[in-house]
């Protein structure tokens, strides 16, 4: 059971690192885009509105393109969390 617990923990850590990498990439793109909008003279309030609209468009596009993959990833995470919770309870 120790090896299986280690595998579950490793998978959860991998998924967390992938999420961190995605957030870091999106943050870098946002900062770059804000800098470009600032150089074009777009006010900060309009930048926020544009960024929110872009984020909504991105979410809709990703859900439409990767809907099945997202469902599979969420299911995998839920199964891994359930296995992590149940492992101490199960008899060896």
């Amino acid at each position: 059971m120790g090896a299986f617990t280690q595998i579950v923990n490793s998978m959860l850590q991998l998924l967390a690192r992938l999420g961190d990498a995605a957030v870091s990439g999106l943050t870098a793109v946002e900062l770059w885009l804000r800098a470009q909008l600032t150089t074009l003279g777009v006010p900060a309030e309009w930048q926020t509105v544009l960024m929110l609209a872009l984020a909504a468009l991105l979410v809709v596009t990703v859900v439409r393109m990767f809907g099945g993959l997202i469902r599979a990833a969420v299911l995998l995470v839920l199964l891994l969390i359930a296995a992590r919770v149940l492992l101490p309870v199960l008899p060896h």
Side-chain angles (χ1 to χ4, degrees):
M1 277 296 185
F4 186 70
T5 303
Q6 186 177 1
I7 291 170
V8 168
N9 289 336
S10 296
M11 291 295 292
L12 286 172
Q13 288 175 355
L14 174 68
L15 290 171
R17 286 185 183 148
L18 287 173
D20 288 343
V23 168
S24 296
L26 287 174
T27 301
V29 170
E30 177 192 1
L31 293 174
W32 175 80
L33 189 56
R34 282 193 184 270
Q36 297 304 314
L37 291 172
T38 301
T39 59
L40 292 174
V42 178
E45 296 82 17
W46 283 101
Q47 288 180 17
T48 302
V49 171
L50 287 171
M51 297 304 276
L52 286 173
L54 183 63
L57 181 64
L58 181 64
V59 167
V60 169
T61 303
V62 166
V63 168
R64 296 192 109 216
M65 288 177 62
F66 301 109
L69 184 61
I70 292 170
R71 280 191 295 265
V74 168
L75 181 63
L76 175 65
V77 168
L78 290 175
L79 287 174
L80 288 171
I81 290 172
R84 188 175 186 184
V85 168
L86 291 177
L87 281 177
V89 179
L90 295 175
H92 295 280

